[in-house]
Amino acid sequence: MTCETAGPLRRVVGPAHSRIAPVAPLPDLFPPPAVMGVINVTPDSFSDGGEFVDPSTAIAHGVALVADGADLLDVGGESTRPGSEPISADVELGRVLPVIRGLHEAGVPISIDTTKAVVAEAAIAAGASFVNDVSALRTDPRMAEVVARAGVPVCLMHMQGIPKTMQDDPRYDDVVAEVAAFLAERVHAAEDAGIARDAICIDPGIGFGKTGEHNLSLLRHLDAIAAVGPPVVVGASRKRFLGSIIGDPERGRAVATAAANVEAVRRGAWMVRVHDVRETREALAVAAAVEAAP
């Protein structure tokens, strides 16, 4: 058996299988505060839809995000914005595989943002070494098996409903307690399916079936989400509730995102998922310097 190292993960190649395996717990692989850069290769994502549908443009953008400080790039080929319609696996694969192959050749750690096992499987074969499933392994019954067999890390996210209808009328009795309980259950389900505990991280799903008040409550009480156990990922980047706070829903929201990310990290986030990497990296650096001051 041989090991081929690619960034913080390794490909374990044996006579009967090939898999990507974490060589350490996630916070050791990507020390906090870690930053996941977003690359949406879709025509209809809520913020940057259509900007990176050309593979060469998407690859160049990914390399630039790494230069700005991204630790990991999350490539997605299916929009999950409110009101979005699902697409076929063939369409999704046609969008993401050229980008993943190109980024892999550049030596960049890659996450595949998908709910489809067949897409995850092909993406891992093409060089992805992380799976970001916004359905927390619920959409495709094969997804847990694919992740477990490949040995890749997985992010399990909370979402109330489905993207098409999730923002119609989201309701909770206690959003923090309910999201935490859901994530705890999904972590147990993932472990039962053979996914190693050290390979699991969780995401409260900011903007996925939540009002602005729900989002703020989750950020304010992120310690309760962190208490579930696995490292916490927060994806507040450019979300609509930030536009409402700053009073200008049409602005880019990079500064508002950076502020939200500082608060998320202060309250226990291990990784933040962002479109504007440089602004968040700079804000986190200032916050860390303040914390370290005598």
Side-chain angles (χ1 to χ4, degrees):
M1 180 178 288
T2 61
C3 294
E4 304 165 6
T5 301
L9 306 172
R10 68 181 177 187
R11 185 181 298 273
V12 182
V13 183
H17 66 283
S18 176
R19 62 187 177 89
I20 305 290
V23 296
L26 288 173
D28 293 339
L29 296 175
F30 302 104
V35 174
M36 175 188 284
V38 178
I39 305 179
N40 289 318
V41 290
T42 62
D44 59 342
S45 289
F46 82 95
S47 178
D48 55 358
E51 290 186 30
F52 306 112
V53 291
D54 175 70
S56 60
T57 302
I59 292 164
H61 180 60
V63 171
L65 290 178
V66 171
D68 283 344
D71 300 293
L72 179 69
L73 297 176
D74 195 36
V75 179
E78 179 174 26
S79 174
T80 52
R81 64 175 173 78
S84 60
E85 297 280 357
I87 61 172
S88 71
D90 287 343
V91 169
E92 190 175 348
L93 285 166
R95 293 173 180 174
V96 301
L97 288 183
V99 177
I100 290 170
R101 291 184 183 119
L103 289 171
H104 182 59
E105 289 176 2
V108 177
I110 306 157
S111 163
I112 176 64
D113 181 356
T114 187
T115 61
K116 299 182 181 72
V118 66
V119 173
E121 210 162 28
I124 291 165
S129 52
F130 193 108
V131 173
N132 182 17
D133 185 348
V134 300
S135 77
L137 309 177
R138 294 179 299 159
T139 295
D140 189 328
R142 284 191 60 243
M143 181 65 93
E145 175 193 343
V146 167
V147 171
R149 189 185 330 117
V152 297
V154 63
C155 185
L156 308 176
M157 194 194 79
H158 175 275
M159 173 170 51
Q160 186 181 89
I162 60 173
K164 182 174 176 61
T165 59
M166 65 186 178
Q167 291 303 110
D168 287 354
D169 187 24
R171 298 187 182 208
Y172 301 85
D173 292 326
D174 182 333
V175 65
V176 176
E178 289 173 48
V179 169
F182 169 89
L183 291 171
E185 184 277 325
R186 296 316 301 159
V187 169
H188 289 311
E191 290 183 289
D192 288 345
I195 299 171
R197 177 82 171 203
D198 281 348
I200 298 170
C201 55
I202 55 176
D203 182 342
I206 300 296
F208 283 80
K210 282 100 176 169
T211 65
E213 184 177 331
H214 294 146
N215 294 327
L216 291 170
S217 291
L218 285 164
L219 289 172
R220 172 68 178 83
H221 301 286
L222 199 64
D223 58 326
I225 304 301
V228 173
V232 176
V233 179
V234 169
S237 185
R238 299 183 181 176
K239 293 290 173 72
R240 185 178 304 169
F241 81 104
L242 297 175
S244 298
I245 292 170
I246 63 176
D248 189 348
E250 301 305 317
R251 289 173 63 185
R253 309 171 192 167
V255 175
T257 296
N261 286 334
V262 167
E263 290 302 315
V265 168
R266 192 195 310 276
R267 288 167 166 79
W270 155 67
M271 176 180 280
V272 290
R273 182 181 183 274
V274 298
H275 299 80
D276 306 290
V277 169
R278 180 176 55 82
E279 290 85 346
T280 281
R281 268 293 177 211
E282 290 178 355
L284 291 173
V286 172
V290 172
E291 283 294 316

